[in-house]
Structure formats: structure tokens, C-alpha cells
Amino acid sequence: MATQVQIEQIIDTALSEDLGRGDKTTELVIPPSLGGTAGIIAREAAMVCGAEIIRIAFLKVDNTLQIKVNVPDGGRVKPGDVVLVVTGRVSSILKTERVALNILSHLSGVATATAQYIEKVKGLDVKISDTRKTLPGLRLLEKYAVYAAGGQNHRPDLASGILIKDNHLTALSARGISIADAIAKAKQGGRGMKVEIEVQNLDQLKQAISGGADIIMLDNMSIDDMKKAVKMVPASIKLEASGGITLDNIRAVAETGVDVISIGAITHSAKAIDFNLSFVTGRPAQ
């Protein structure tokens, strides 16, 4: 999970990108003393994630702003619901508006997509996981959004786990190094870390089982082959299905009996959720 320092670094980068040279429009037309209240409002049904993060963004721009979060991360909204209310200098609110909406829209999109996949496998003993297919610089926030929606996080970086993938095996096979040899080498130097290996067919699966892999990823396998794999693998080895997973086929994949289904689309292809920021005249936002 992202630490406070890491979250602030991401926000600082976003604010610098948008506000680093100032806001010419706001500075020219909005009186510095003008106060107001604005609400961030959902325009579609979604699962919210990021409200507490954008609170930090607003306060970084102006620590005198008063902010009320109405919907916690993982909460549901319908069109018209007010997610967050911010009161204070209008100029400060306007300077933060786009960064706040970008973060909230994207993370809510990730959380909503994750929740949709989880709903499809409801009642089955399987976990939905993210991957490293994330947008540059936003991985930790995207993984937080997956977690907030009830999903599971795969390794956050290359140092956090051992996963022998197809390109590792291709490179090793050119030197006559087998799957079992690769697993043994990883276990020897891994200092007790679990070793996961990606396989693309049942022959590779057999080699991974005999080599002593802790976790085996079934990459782009057919439903029939996944069913066979589940029967072949001892209970001590966890099975992960990945590749080509959609909302249409995830239930069938889960019913094969795999332990985890990892989906890159919940991060790299999540549809942004539509929110807008609107100022309220004559009364506080609800």
C-alpha cells in the first residue's frame, strides 16, 4: 500500500504539472479574497475511490480550505450524489480542480472496474488481483483503488516477488536451462520467497509441478486446459489464471477452480468515472 509520503509525491507531481507556472486565468479574474463553496458531484453510478487523496491535494494548495468527504473510499454513488464539499478561497479551489477531478475520476474507474469483476465471481472461492500493467507514476494509487474495491494486489514492483515469465524461459531455454532448473535457481537465491512461474500449456505445467513451484500462472489457457490443470496440481500449489480475462468469461474461468484471477484491464483500461465540480450559490453544498 502507498505511504503518506508516496501519496504526497504523486500529488506534488500532478500539481506541478498543472500549476507549476501558476494559473493565469484565475489570478487575473478571481479576487484573492473571494470565498465560496463547491461540491464534487457524481454524474454516473460508480464506486468511489480517491476522495481522501484529493483532500490532500486541496490542502497542499491552500491549507485554510475546509473539506468534508461525504463518500468514503469503496462507497457507492448514483448520479447527483455529492462526494466531497470544499469551502474557502475560490481561487484555491479552481487551481486544484483539474488535478482533484483527474485523480478521483481515474481511481474511481479502477475501483468500479474491480468491483464489476468481483461481482461476476460472487459465491466462488477465488480472488481478483491486479497486475503491473499500470499507468506510469500511478501504480501505488491504482493498486490502492483495487484494494479499496475488495481486490487483491499482485507484486507492486520487480523486487517484491519472483515471477518467472515466458521471456525468462525463452532466454534460458536457448542455453539449455530447463523450467525445473530455473525454479531451483530462483529458490536458491530467493531467501525463502515464494516462486511463481508462468506456463502456457500442460507440458510446461507438469515441469513446473515437478520443479517445485509455489504458484503457477496459467497464461491464456483455454477453459478446458484450466480444468485439467486444476486436477493436475496438488493443493500445496496455488493456481493463478491470467490473460484474456473479460467480464463475459471470468465466471467460467473462476468455476475451473483456480485460486486467483489477475486482470490487467482493471488498471490500464479502466474507464474514468464522470465527476464535476460545481460552486453553490446562496447556500452550502449538502
Side-chain angles (χ1 to χ4, degrees), residues 164 179-189 195 211:
I164 304 170
I179 287 176
D181 291 336
I183 295 170
K185 188 173 181 64
K187 282 183 173 287
Q188 184 177 14
V195 174

Side-chain angles (χ1 to χ4, degrees), residues 135-155:
L135 299 181
L138 294 180
R139 176 174 295 169
L140 292 176
L141 295 189
E142 290 176 346
K143 283 183 172 287
Y144 166 67
V146 170
Y147 175 80
Q152 178 175 290
N153 294 146
H154 215 289
R155 56 180 182 162

Side-chain angles (χ1 to χ4, degrees), residues 163 183 195-201 204-219 221 229 232-234 237-242 258-260:
L163 173 50
I183 295 170
V195 174
E196 180 171 5
I197 186 165
E198 178 183 278
V199 301
Q200 297 176 314
N201 54 59
Q204 288 184 331
L205 176 69
K206 292 174 185 176
Q207 295 177 60
I209 295 169
S210 63
D214 299 297
I215 308 165
I216 299 175
M217 178 190 291
L218 309 177
D219 180 43
M221 279 195 183
M232 292 167 60
V233 172
I237 298 176
K238 296 294 183 183
L239 273 181
E240 174 182 344
S242 189
V258 295
D259 302 291
V260 178

Side-chain angles (χ1 to χ4, degrees), residues 25-86:
T25 308
T26 298
E27 291 161 6
L28 289 171
V29 304
I30 301 295
S33 60
L34 181 63
T37 294
I40 292 183
I41 302 165
R43 285 178 164 172
E44 60 183 305
M47 176 175 284
V48 169
C49 185
E52 292 293 344
I53 293 171
I54 65 173
R55 176 207 289 270
I56 298 171
F58 278 111
L59 293 177
K60 274 185 170 289
V61 172
D62 184 347
N63 62 12
T64 70
L65 293 174
Q66 298 176 17
I67 301 161
K68 179 186 177 185
V69 174
N70 291 335
V71 183
D73 291 344
R76 297 276 186 171
V77 290
K78 61 184 183 299
D81 286 348
V82 180
V83 175
L84 177 147
V85 178
V86 55

Side-chain angles (χ1 to χ4, degrees), residues 110-156:
V110 172
T112 300
T114 303
Q116 289 171 340
Y117 279 95
I118 291 173
E119 180 64 25
K120 287 288 187 178
V121 300
K122 189 174 181 179
L124 299 176
D125 187 19
V126 64
K127 301 293 185 183
I128 301 302
S129 173
D130 55 29
T131 71
R132 285 172 35 252
K133 294 178 181 178
T134 55
L135 299 181
L138 294 180
R139 176 174 295 169
L140 292 176
L141 295 189
E142 290 176 346
K143 283 183 172 287
Y144 166 67
V146 170
Y147 175 80
Q152 178 175 290
N153 294 146
H154 215 289
R155 56 180 182 162

